[in-house]
Amino acid sequence: MNSEFVAAVRRFNRTVTQRVGALDDEYMARGRPLAQARLLWEIGPGGAEVAALRARLGLDSGYLSRLLRTLESDGLITVGPADQAGGDARVRAAALTDIGRAEWAELDKRSDTFAWSILEPLTEQRRERLVAAMAEVERLLIASMVTIEPCPPGDPRARACVRAYARDVAMRFGDGFDPALSNPVHDEELVPPAGVFLLATLNAEPVGCGAVKLHHDAPAEIKRVWVSDTVRGLGIGRRMLSELERYATERGWTAVRLDTNRHLTEAIAMYRSTGYREIEAYNTEHYAHHWFEKHLAP
């Protein structure tokens, strides 16, 4: 751990929390702290499911319940079954009342005013620098919020990622993509000890995946690496690749290989830049034009 980096992050956090008013009892002089105001904003005019709010804001269930009860007692929201027509009563949703919608509009107006109060003292050039720096910090913070963990390949989130992978490559391959023509990847090949399926999530939503098959007497094989457009360009693909390699290394494999299509130029560039070398074809994958291998350090 780099102590200078840690100190810089802590210093940044102190400055930001003070400047945005996170320490104030009454955020933007509206009689409630930032947490309540932010939750009201996230519910929004269209309402939101409680589970989605919890995932989006990363809040503990008990704390979220207390915040919701406070907003409800203030007459700003109602909380009830998401499906009023007799659906699953366990799925609960929050909606703004008329008073809540007026308060949301006032928060929206004051947020614009507050944002301008940060920019107004600066010259035009410094405003541009600040906004550009904020955008970069936001992207990097989002990247740091993505988690990559093992997931059963039969999990609905894993299935959704594999379907998204198929749709993505179908649009990019010159001749489309028919899973029936591709070498099959069976679920039992992606559970320990045969292999693993890794799922990347952001605020509990799946945004990427990858898998590795641990072949006996052969290099490990990486399959189905995919990253959602919502987080593309944040280094998640490289992180996924690194995690798959680490998984194989920790289990004794000294080499890993993969195949790819010529139209996936970004992926090919990533493989080459991370130490993969092109080899002769090692399988009969219908959609493969390039085959790569990398030796893994113990």
Side-chain angles (χ1 to χ4, degrees):
M1 182 182 296
N2 187 311
S3 59
E4 292 183 2
F5 286 179
V6 171
V9 170
R10 293 181 60 182
R11 190 164 55 247
F12 176 82
N13 288 344
R14 290 194 297 271
T15 301
V16 170
T17 52
Q18 180 180 357
R19 187 65 183 91
V20 302
L23 305 179
D24 298 340
D25 288 338
E26 297 187 2
Y27 185 65
M28 292 191 187
R30 296 306 295 166
R32 61 186 58 84
L34 174 59
Q36 293 179 22
R38 176 63 189 277
L39 180 56
L40 185 72
W41 173 264
E42 291 293 337
I43 292 170
E49 291 186 3
V50 172
L53 291 169
R54 183 170 61 247
R56 193 184 313 158
L57 297 175
L59 295 177
D60 171 79
S61 297
Y63 182 47
L64 176 61
S65 295
R66 291 193 294 274
L67 290 175
L68 289 170
R69 283 198 298 270
T70 300
L71 294 178
E72 195 169 24
S73 65
D74 289 345
L76 299 171
I77 67 169
T78 59
V79 179
D83 186 352
Q84 300 292 337
D88 191 344
R90 295 172 298 180
V91 180
R92 300 180 65 76
L96 299 182
T97 63
D98 289 341
I99 298 174
R101 281 189 286 273
E103 180 65 17
W104 188 93
E106 182 63 25
L107 273 176
D108 186 37
K109 183 177 72 174
R110 293 194 180 209
S111 295
D112 282 347
T113 302
F114 180 67
W116 177 245
S117 76
I118 294 175
L119 296 168
E120 195 273 335
L122 305 176
T123 65
E124 187 65 25
Q125 184 181 30
R126 290 181 179 272
R127 289 171 190 166
E128 292 176 358
R129 286 176 55 193
L130 178 60
V131 170
M134 285 177 166
E136 180 66 7
V137 168
E138 181 184 17
R139 283 174 56 80
L140 293 174
L141 286 176
I142 289 173
S144 76
M145 292 164 62
V146 174
T147 61
I148 299 177
E149 296 176 323
C151 177
D155 185 287
R157 298 171 301 166
R159 296 285 195 225
C161 280
V162 172
R163 289 194 298 270
Y165 163 85
R167 290 194 300 269
D168 195 2
V169 297
M171 290 188 293
R172 302 188 65 184
F173 288 1
D175 53 354
F177 177 72
D178 181 356
L181 298 178
S182 181
N183 289 349
V185 180
H186 302 292
D187 283 358
E188 58 269 22
E189 298 178 291
L190 306 181
V191 294
V196 72
F197 186 95
L198 298 183
L199 183 73
T201 58
L202 175 62
N203 297 328
E205 292 296 318
V207 294
C209 66
V212 63
K213 297 161 63 174
L214 302 179
H215 299 295
H216 293 294
D217 302 321
E221 185 178 15
I222 289 176
K223 304 293 292 183
R224 304 296 188 260
V225 176
W226 171 79
V227 175
S228 168
D229 287 339
T230 59
V231 294
R232 199 158 287 171
L234 299 181
I236 307 305
R238 286 176 180 264
R239 275 182 60 193
M240 179 64 70
L241 194 63
S242 178
E243 288 296 319
L244 293 170
E245 293 170 1
R246 184 167 68 87
Y247 187 91
T249 301
E250 290 176 347
R251 283 149 186 81
W253 268 255
T254 58
V256 64
R257 59 192 181 185
L258 54 86
D259 61 69
T260 192
N261 185 277
R262 62 173 173 249
H263 293 282
L264 302 181
T265 54
E266 301 95 335
I268 292 171
M270 178 179 69
Y271 299 143
R272 287 177 171 153
S273 67
T274 53
Y276 284 79
R277 63 180 183 87
E278 195 152 1
I279 60 174
E280 295 294 325
Y282 65 84
N283 62 18
T284 57
E285 170 58 48
H286 177 77
Y287 294 103
H289 301 106
H290 300 275
W291 291 260
F292 289 95
E293 184 174 276
K294 179 180 180 178
H295 292 288
L296 303 174

